[in-house]
């Protein structure tokens, strides 16, 4: 895996070389993520081999304990925080790092790893440690959903329903197949809902199957929010999938459900390439903020975690997080 190519980088400004000596780092590895238990000794060895000193290292299984360790390290003046886990683990950590003079290092050990993908960090542990050792950093935006930070995307509808099925046990057992397996299971039960969205450009109302609001480029283990989404463009990028059953008056019927399933299946095939935005059922929105209300009320899934329910105000904390990123490609 060490030689695997990096994903497309979703940054508008190239990473810059940071200061070479920011002091020892804190390493936190989520023991419950898909590869956390096995990766901990390998991460220690890889960081040591690259000359990265550690102030402390922890393999943790509970969020409260992770919160305690992070707070203590930040109060002690640690300026490099290395997190091994998936997007949910990073989502929890960023609440403590937002706006601080610290640098986040990402070791992608989870199921989706969408934040690492947006940064262009390769999926192998060795390559991710190479990125940290190189010392290039970037400033990225952080999304806020009713004040709660998210790195990749927040969503209502189908993605939230899938997130409820993705328990830690299910993700460990299914591995990389967890997302598609959960999606297929949820499709047969999913129902459309009505949303009212207000942006800085006006208001719109739609009957939809899904709404995704992105800070980065990727969500749902590699699906594209929009082709021009970026982690540092100071904009939220959103898309909706309209429910054809509502437009045809067949909502709640077997035929209407088949219409919705057919639309979702066609769009799903194009999400990886970002071509879904050309589908007639898809509406894309770009805004500095977005207020969303829904009938019936919908759960909010942020970076794979259910964090609340509608109504919700989405906004940005621009350039609020410094992260290690791959060195810019030579011209």
């Amino acid at each position: 895996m060490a030689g695997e190519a990096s994903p497309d980088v979703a940054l508008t400004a190239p990473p810059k070389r940071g200061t070479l000596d920011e002091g020892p780092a804190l390493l936190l590895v989520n023991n419950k993520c898909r590869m956390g238990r096995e990766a901990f000794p390998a991460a220690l060895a890889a960081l040591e081999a690259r000359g990265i000193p550690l102030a402390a290292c922890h393999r943790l299984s509970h969020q409260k304990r992770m919160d305690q360790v992070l707070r203590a390290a930040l109060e002690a003046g640690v300026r490099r925080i290395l997190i091994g886990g998936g997007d949910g683990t990073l989502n929890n950590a960023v609440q403590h790092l937002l706006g601080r003079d610290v640098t986040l290092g990402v070791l992608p050990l989870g199921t989706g790893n969408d934040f690492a993908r947006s940064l262009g960090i390769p999926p192998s542990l060795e390559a991710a440690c190479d990125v940290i050792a190189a010392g290039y950093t970037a400033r990225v935006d952080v999304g806020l959903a009713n004040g709660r930070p998210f790195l990749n995307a927040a969503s209502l509808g189908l993605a939230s329903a899938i997130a409820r099925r993705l328990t830690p046990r299910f993700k460990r057992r299914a591995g990389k197949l967890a997302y598609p397996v959960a999606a297929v299971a949820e499709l047969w039960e999913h129902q459309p809902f009505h949303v009212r969205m207000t942006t800085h450009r006006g208001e719109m109302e739609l009957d939809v199957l899904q709404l995704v609001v992105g800070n980065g480029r990727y969500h749902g283990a590699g699906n594209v929010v929009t082709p021009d989404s970026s982690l540092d463009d100071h904009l939220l990028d959103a898309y909706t999938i309209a429910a054809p059953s509502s437009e045809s008056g067949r909502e709640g019927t077997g035929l209407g459900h088949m219409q919705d399933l057919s639309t979702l299946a066609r769009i799903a095939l194009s999400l990886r390439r970002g071509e879904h935005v050309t589908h007639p059922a898809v509406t894309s929105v770009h805004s500095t903020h977005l207020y969303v209300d829904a009938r019936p009320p919908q759960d909010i899934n942020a970076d794979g975690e259910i964090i609340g329910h509608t109504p919700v105000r989405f906004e940005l904390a621009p350039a609020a997080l410094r992260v290690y990123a791959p060195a810019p490609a030579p011209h």
Side-chain angles (χ1 to χ4, degrees):
M1 294 282 290
E4 189 164 340
S6 302
D8 291 334
V9 184
L11 295 172
T12 57
K16 298 178 180 179
R17 184 83 181 193
T19 55
L20 295 178
D21 185 12
E22 291 186 305
L26 171 70
L27 172 65
L28 293 179
V29 173
N30 183 356
N31 211 33
K32 287 187 174 181
C33 71
R34 188 170 65 89
M35 298 185 293
R37 190 181 300 271
E38 298 82 2
F40 185 70
L44 287 176
L47 293 169
E48 181 181 5
R50 288 156 179 78
I52 300 172
L54 295 178
C57 55
H58 299 269
R59 182 168 55 186
L60 303 172
S61 299
H62 301 287
Q63 179 178 318
K64 287 185 178 179
R65 178 58 180 153
M66 185 172 290
D67 292 340
Q68 292 170 353
V69 171
L70 272 172
R71 282 195 293 264
L74 292 169
E75 288 173 5
V78 174
R79 296 184 61 200
R80 295 199 283 176
I81 309 294
L82 314 182
I83 303 290
D87 291 314
T89 307
L90 294 170
N91 179 282
N92 179 63
V94 77
Q95 300 177 62
H96 302 278
L97 308 181
L98 192 65
R100 288 181 175 265
D101 184 24
V102 297
T103 306
L104 171 66
V106 179
L107 304 179
L109 305 178
T111 304
N113 300 319
D114 285 312
F115 187 60
R117 186 178 283 107
S118 283
L119 287 171
I121 296 173
S124 76
L125 180 60
E126 294 279 334
C129 289
D130 285 339
V131 169
I132 294 168
Y136 283 88
T137 64
R139 283 274 182 186
V140 299
D141 305 330
V142 175
L144 300 171
N146 284 343
R148 171 73 181 262
F150 64 93
L151 293 170
N152 303 311
S155 55
L156 284 62
L158 182 60
S160 294
I162 292 170
R164 284 195 298 270
R165 292 180 180 266
L166 288 170
T167 63
R169 181 182 178 188
F170 180 77
K171 288 192 281 189
R172 284 195 302 271
R173 293 180 64 182
K176 290 186 177 181
L177 294 176
Y179 278 95
V181 170
V184 170
E186 181 59 37
L187 278 172
W188 295 104
E189 302 176 10
H190 192 62
Q191 298 295 324
F193 57 99
H194 185 80
V195 294
R196 185 177 75 252
M197 298 190 297
T198 305
T199 74
H200 69 275
R201 294 181 177 178
E203 186 176 289
M204 65 181 71
E205 295 195 42
L206 297 165
D207 291 315
V208 303
L209 299 164
Q210 176 162 289
L211 164 66
V212 174
V213 179
N215 173 53
R217 179 172 294 171
Y218 298 102
H219 74 103
N223 293 327
V224 175
V225 179
T226 67
D228 52 355
S229 300
S230 172
L231 280 166
D232 59 348
D233 61 358
H234 308 339
L235 280 175
L236 294 167
D237 301 284
Y239 75 88
T240 64
I241 302 177
S245 63
S246 298
E247 295 178 4
S248 66
R250 298 190 177 103
E251 184 177 358
T253 68
L255 183 57
H257 189 57
M258 292 304 296
Q259 280 184 305
D260 292 344
L261 282 174
S262 177
T263 296
L264 285 169
R266 290 195 191 97
I267 292 172
L269 292 173
S270 60
L271 275 169
R272 294 277 171 174
R273 301 182 300 275
E275 297 172 355
H276 59 290
V277 293
T278 63
H279 192 284
V282 172
T283 299
S284 58
V285 176
H286 309 280
S287 183
T288 55
H289 63 271
L290 185 66
Y291 179 82
V292 179
D293 202 359
R295 296 196 311 269
Q298 298 291 306
D299 287 338
I300 304 163
N301 162 32
D303 296 340
E305 306 292 323
I306 303 299
I307 63 166
H309 56 81
T310 54
V312 54
R313 178 178 173 83
F314 295 107
E315 51 197 331
L316 280 172
L321 182 66
R322 188 170 67 233
V323 295
Y324 287 110
H331 295 292

